[in-house]
Amino acid sequence: MQLSHHSDYVVPLPDGHPFPMGKYALLREILLDRGVVAASHLIASEPIAIELLRSVHTDAYLAKLQNGGLTAVEQRRIGVPWSPALWRRSRLAAQGTLNAARNALRVGLSGNLAGGTHHAFADRGEGFCVLNDVAISIRVLQRERLLQRALIIDLDVHQGNGTAAIFEHDPSVYTFSVHGERNYPSDKMRSSLDIGLADGTDDQQYLRCIEQHLPAILRQFRADIVFYLAGVDVAAGDRYGRFALSDDGIRARERYVIEQVRIAGLPLVITLAGGYAATPQRTAELHALVFEEARRVERSTG
């Protein structure tokens, strides 16, 4: 199982900033220490070409990112201050998801130790998301005629409003979002299928919802590839989550999604999306669950 990564996925943020930037490096170390992946299977990314970003994002927005022209209001909307390092980091992560998608098309399963930045719209960033890496990957691969139809399974606790808006009128991309109905963003966009759940949703309620809908989507949509946003802000005690899933519940979710996609015979790309546990270490440990389950499924299927 090859995974995209880069040491520059981590960039400096102001002291006390709520985004757990350290989780990216910590996750890589956890996966190596536990033998989930070997160092030779970690593929370093590179900054994605600006031309590829234009497949999704507007020239005006990209110019602001490239030249440091975001206003204070625009930076507050994103939630992190602009810097050359942040711009580079965003391009690295976007290329990481594209690399993972190319690899998944070849071998069936791959991932990025970042990505899933689903609040980024074509013309702006929001909610800690600068570039919409999954949308970029889909558009680039469609343009190269490597795929026609893509399915996005978005299980971050927050609706992927940017992704939904980008693909709302595109029947070649199916967006399936299970999220907190009363959680951010307050103004939700229209996914292909939105399932909004109540605050306090537990393991049983959550897993029953996914089991009710995912097999039919996989059967009926006939995707060429699946992108999975495995957000762990569904965990009990998450700073921004409001759900009550246990570690076992999250692990069961990861196992079920991966198994269903692989049973359907579809290439699968795993991205992180959100997670805001008490510490970056705890957040990284939760993110590790999806890769542990991916490795287990990979081994069981040979």
Side-chain angles (χ1 to χ4, degrees), residues 244-257:
L245 268 68
S246 68
D247 291 19
D248 287 344
I250 295 173
R251 185 181 291 279
R253 179 193 74 172
E254 315 301 33
R255 182 183 312 121
Y256 182 78
V257 170

Side-chain angles (χ1 to χ4, degrees), residues 21-273:
M21 187 65 75
K23 72 179 186 178
Y24 301 107
L26 291 166
L27 173 60
R28 181 177 58 193
E29 294 310 310
I30 289 170
L31 297 179
L32 288 170
D33 289 346
R34 296 180 183 177
V36 177
V37 65
S40 60
H41 292 156
L42 292 174
I43 308 303
S45 185
E46 62 278 343
I48 195 169
I50 303 298
E51 179 58 32
L52 298 185
L53 299 181
R54 292 193 176 103
S55 64
V56 169
H57 294 289
T58 65
D59 285 343
Y61 179 50
L62 292 175
K64 290 180 179 181
L65 291 172
Q66 191 168 10
N67 301 321
L70 293 173
T71 67
V73 171
E74 289 169 327
Q75 292 184 66
R76 284 196 297 272
R77 184 187 294 130
I78 294 173
V80 289
W82 182 91
S83 67
L86 179 70
W87 170 227
R88 171 178 160 80
R89 181 233 176 275
S90 302
R91 292 174 61 201
L92 287 168
Q95 184 66 52
T97 297
L98 179 57
N99 291 347
R102 293 189 192 282
N103 190 57
L105 288 171
R106 289 193 299 268
V107 302
L109 176 64
S110 192
N112 186 11
L113 300 186
T117 44
H118 60 169
H119 298 308
F121 286 72
D123 62 349
R124 66 186 186 274
E126 291 186 4
F128 303 141
C129 299
V130 178
L131 299 171
N132 197 307
D133 59 297
V134 170
I136 293 162
S137 295
I138 291 171
R139 285 294 186 236
V140 170
L141 296 174
Q142 285 179 328
R143 187 171 68 183
E144 295 177 355
R145 299 185 178 181
L146 294 176
L147 62 87
Q148 293 181 327
R149 296 159 64 83
L151 167 62
I152 300 170
I153 301 171
D154 189 339
L155 300 186
D156 190 283
V157 80
H158 306 106
Q159 194 222 29
N161 54 341
T163 306
I166 289 167
F167 294 121
E168 181 177 1
H169 302 294
D170 184 351
S172 74
V173 180
Y174 193 104
T175 50
F176 172 44
S177 178
V178 179
H179 52 263
E181 180 63 28
R182 297 179 59 192
N183 209 321
Y184 176 90
S186 56
D187 294 327
K188 296 180 173 56
M189 301 293 106
R190 182 181 299 176
S191 306
S192 303
L193 179 61
D194 284 303
I195 306 294
L197 301 177
D199 292 357
T201 292
D202 61 17
D203 292 353
Q204 184 177 10
Q205 296 165 319
Y206 187 84
L207 294 171
R208 185 168 60 242
C209 172
I210 297 170
E211 291 166 1
Q212 179 182 351
H213 294 284
L214 183 57
I217 294 170
L218 289 166
R219 184 173 60 251
Q220 295 169 10
F221 181 65
R222 305 189 311 279
D224 299 312
I225 193 170
V226 177
F227 290 83
Y228 177 32
L229 279 67
V232 295
D233 40 13
V234 295
D238 186 272
R239 178 172 184 163
Y240 299 122
R242 304 185 196 167
F243 279 4
L245 268 68
S246 68
D247 291 19
D248 287 344
I250 295 173
R251 185 181 291 279
R253 179 193 74 172
E254 315 301 33
R255 182 183 312 121
Y256 182 78
V257 170
I258 295 166
E259 287 179 344
Q260 289 299 306
V261 174
R262 301 307 290 140
I263 288 169
L266 299 176
L268 175 62
V269 183
I270 299 169
T271 64
L272 297 192

